[in-house]
Structures are given as structure tokens and as C-alpha cells.
């Protein structure tokens, strides 16, 4: 009886591990196909951050930013997750950045007046399922930086 219970626990953990690896692989594949061309002139600030989000999920990411640099934040998500809402705030809770909407992609530009940590909030839309299946999808976020001296100024 005791070995049967142990085998059930082991089987459960193996199944959970396989499910986690499949989910991770799904998001890795999505990140490889995601369009981050809006960051072409920018240097990446670390790795692309990716996670699987479910309907109604919220996430908070922090990013250190410096004076004298322009930051561009690009987010991609799988379309069946819906329109993921993004908001960017400083340490005091004040909204930062401006969204740039183009034909191909949306991105956010941020410049700060002091070195600080900013917070990027993501929220997946809450969708009610009629069949009991909660929608989910991968969300990928990349941040790039550019020194203000590198910006082209037209006379």
C-alpha cells in the first residue's frame, strides 16, 4: 500500500514536470517568432522576459532606468489571450511613458529625470468561458535603451 502511494506521488510529479516543460517550450517558441524589430536601434537591457498568462492574470516587472537614456518597451502576446494591458509607473506610482502605435507594432517610450526603478504592470483581460476552459497564452516583453546623445536631432 505504501509503495503504491509513493508510485502515485512520483507519477504525479513526473507528469507535472512534463507539463511545465511543455509550457516553457511553448513560450520559448513564441519568443523566437515574436517581432521585436521596434528595438532595432536600441541595446537590450537584459533578456527577453516571457511567461504564460491566464485570463485575468496580472504581473509586475521591475526595470532599473537611468537619466540621459531613452527606454523602449516592446510587448508581444499570443492573440488568443486578448489585448494585454500594460502600464508603466515610477516608484511613487506616477504613470510614465507614452505609447507609440504604428501599423506593425505598439511600443512604449520612457525617459526619466532621475535614476530609479520603474514598474511595468501587465494584465490579461478577464474572459468568461462557457465551457470551463480558461484561455491562456504567452506574453513576451523586451526593454531596450539608447543614450540621448545617440538621438538624431533635426535643426
Amino acid at each position: 500500500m505504501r509503495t503504491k502511494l509513493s508510485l502515485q506521488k512520483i507519477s504525479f510529479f513526473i507528469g507535472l514536470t512534463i507539463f511545465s516543460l511543455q509550457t516553457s517550450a511553448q513560450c520559448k517558441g513564441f519568443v523566437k517568432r515574436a517581432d521585436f524589430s521596434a528595438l532595432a536601434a536600441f541595446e537590450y537591457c537584459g533578456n527577453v522576459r516571457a511567461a504564460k498568462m491566464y485570463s485575468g492574470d496580472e504581473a509586475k516587472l521591475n526595470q532599473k532606468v537611468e537619466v540621459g537614456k531613452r527606454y523602449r518597451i516592446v510587448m508581444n502576446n499570443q492573440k488568443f489571450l486578448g489585448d494585454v494591458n500594460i502600464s508603466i509607473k515610477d516608484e511613487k506610482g506616477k504613470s510614465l511613458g507614452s505609447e507609440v502605435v504604428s501599423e506593425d507594432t505598439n511600443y512604449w517610450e520612457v525617459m526619466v529625470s532621475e535614476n530609479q526603478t520603474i514598474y511595468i504592470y501587465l494584465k490579461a483581460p478577464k474572459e468568461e468561458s462557457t465551457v470551463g476552459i480558461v484561455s491562456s497564452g504567452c506574453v513576451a516583453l523586451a526593454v531596450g535603451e539608447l543614450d540621448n546623445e545617440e538621438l538624431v536631432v533635426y535643426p
Side-chain angles (χ1 to χ4, degrees):
M1 182 70 163
R2 192 173 189 99
T3 55
K4 186 177 180 182
L5 186 59
S6 295
L7 287 175
Q8 287 176 339
K9 285 183 180 180
I10 291 170
S11 296
F12 172 75
F13 287 116
I14 290 173
L16 187 62
T17 302
I18 290 171
F19 176 76
S20 295
L21 291 173
Q22 288 174 340
T23 301
S24 176
Q26 175 189 5
C27 286
K28 283 182 183 177
F30 171 72
V31 169
K32 288 181 183 177
R33 294 184 305 275
D35 179 19
F36 293 109
S37 60
L39 292 176
F42 288 72
E43 290 183 36
Y44 279 104
C45 297
N47 297 326
V48 173
R49 301 172 197 173
K52 185 171 186 176
M53 292 183 77
Y54 293 88
S55 175
D57 272 356
E58 295 181 18
K60 177 182 173 183
L61 306 162
N62 59 4
Q63 178 68 45
K64 292 188 185 268
V65 293
E66 299 173 4
V67 174
K69 294 186 179 186
R70 175 178 299 224
Y71 292 87
R72 182 170 286 178
I73 300 167
V74 178
M75 182 200 54
N76 287 285
N77 66 282
Q78 290 178 315
K79 299 300 177 204
F80 49 83
L81 185 57
D83 291 330
V84 174
N85 183 28
I86 183 170
S87 62
I88 304 162
K89 298 185 178 187
D90 66 10
E91 295 169 331
K92 298 171 188 161
K94 178 183 169 195
S95 290
L96 296 173
S98 56
E99 182 177 9
V100 178
V101 180
S102 71
E103 228 176 80
D104 302 327
T105 187
N106 294 4
Y107 57 86
W108 292 261
E109 295 271 333
V110 176
M111 291 177 62
V112 294
S113 58
E114 61 183 87
N115 294 345
Q116 61 181 297
T117 300
I118 61 170
Y119 300 97
I120 304 164
Y121 296 90
L122 303 174
K123 184 172 182 178
K126 179 83 171 146
E127 295 185 16
E128 298 298 325
S129 172
T130 57
V131 293
I133 299 173
V134 178
S135 63
S136 66
C138 296
V139 178
L141 185 106
V143 180
E145 67 179 31
L146 181 68
D147 286 330
N148 282 344
E149 294 89 42
E150 296 177 29
L151 295 175
V152 176
V153 179
Y154 295 100

